[in-house]
Amino acid sequence: MPPRILPRLCAQLPRAAPTQARRPFLTLATGPLRFSETRAFPYAPGPLYTLVSDINSYHKFLPYCLGSNVTKYSDPGSLPTEADLRVGWGTYDETFRSKVLCEPEKLIVRADASRNELFQTLKTRWEIRQRDEGGSDVALHIEFQFRNPVYAALSGAVAPKIVGVMVAAFERRAKDVLGEEEEGVGGRRAVGGGEGS
């Protein structure tokens, strides 16, 4: 083919659209993810703290919790310091041992199940605060980081919802144990998302 025809032929070929930056299918997290949710309850802080610190009952109301068992107490019959939670969904079934710190004077229950096969970090913190207008605020904070970065990326769509599901389950538990909510008290505030939240 003569050299003059080639440039004309190339000019007639359809041109590819300019490439644009695309969002990756999976975004890999580089550190722990943190999510929180706070809801108003019509109950005094004391009874709510008793429910939160009753780790042996978690399997009765927390979604995906198939079993809950305190394995160590600070003193016999006193505050839990270690507990096993069995968690499952689908074909997944795993038991996590947590170090537990109950702070009744601050109305806080902390659990740390970090350094297991699935998670690099797995921490929860329940906090209860007296409300000026009556009742209490209950907050749940979750911090986690999967060991496998693909699991971390895949959990990105579901993770922000889990904390709300857990607080809603606790809300139902409080109603069952402590009675129905009073009118006009209750509500929620959600905070969450990504690293450093």
Side-chain angles (χ1 to χ4, degrees):
M1 188 177 280
R4 288 181 284 174
I5 297 175
L6 187 58
R8 277 189 263 157
L9 251 170
C10 289
Q12 294 174 3
L13 292 174
R15 295 185 186 256
T19 59
Q20 296 178 1
R22 293 185 180 167
R23 185 174 167 222
F25 176 68
L26 295 176
T27 303
L28 300 179
T30 58
L33 299 175
R34 295 172 183 92
F35 298 97
S36 298
E37 180 147 325
T38 301
R39 290 196 189 178
F41 286 71
Y43 314 108
L48 291 170
Y49 178 80
T50 299
L51 289 177
V52 168
S53 61
D54 183 12
I55 295 166
N56 284 324
S57 295
Y58 280 15
H59 69 280
K60 295 178 182 177
F61 68 94
L62 283 180
Y64 314 113
C65 184
L66 305 176
S68 52
N69 182 43
V70 174
T71 56
K72 286 186 186 174
Y73 290 90
S74 57
D75 292 315
S78 190
L79 300 172
T81 58
E82 185 179 89
D84 287 343
L85 291 184
R86 183 174 157 225
V87 178
W89 64 91
T91 58
Y92 176 80
D93 190 330
E94 185 73 41
T95 299
F96 298 103
R97 173 141 303 163
S98 297
K99 292 181 184 198
V100 178
L101 176 60
C102 292
E103 302 175 75
E105 67 286 347
K106 295 180 181 178
L107 302 169
I108 295 174
V109 175
R110 301 172 197 267
D112 186 343
S114 299
R115 307 288 179 194
N116 58 63
E117 290 181 19
L118 187 61
F119 291 96
Q120 178 73 25
T121 303
L122 178 58
K123 298 177 183 180
T124 61
R125 185 175 78 245
W126 291 90
E127 296 179 354
I128 301 158
R129 301 276 182 254
Q130 177 77 46
R131 294 170 53 89
D132 292 338
E133 59 274 18
S136 304
D137 280 336
V138 175
L140 174 60
H141 310 279
I142 297 176
E143 176 182 344
F144 70 94
Q145 180 178 3
F146 283 98
R147 288 189 178 280
N148 183 326
V150 174
Y151 289 170
L154 292 173
S155 72
V158 177
K161 297 174 183 152
I162 293 295
V163 69
V165 168
M166 290 176 68
V167 173
F170 179 74
E171 191 171 36
R172 287 189 297 276
R173 175 72 171 167
K175 285 180 185 178
D176 291 346
V177 174
L178 303 175
E180 287 296 315
E181 288 189 15
E182 299 167 5
E183 286 297 317
V185 181
R188 68 181 193 154
R189 294 186 308 279
V191 180
E195 300 170 49
S197 318

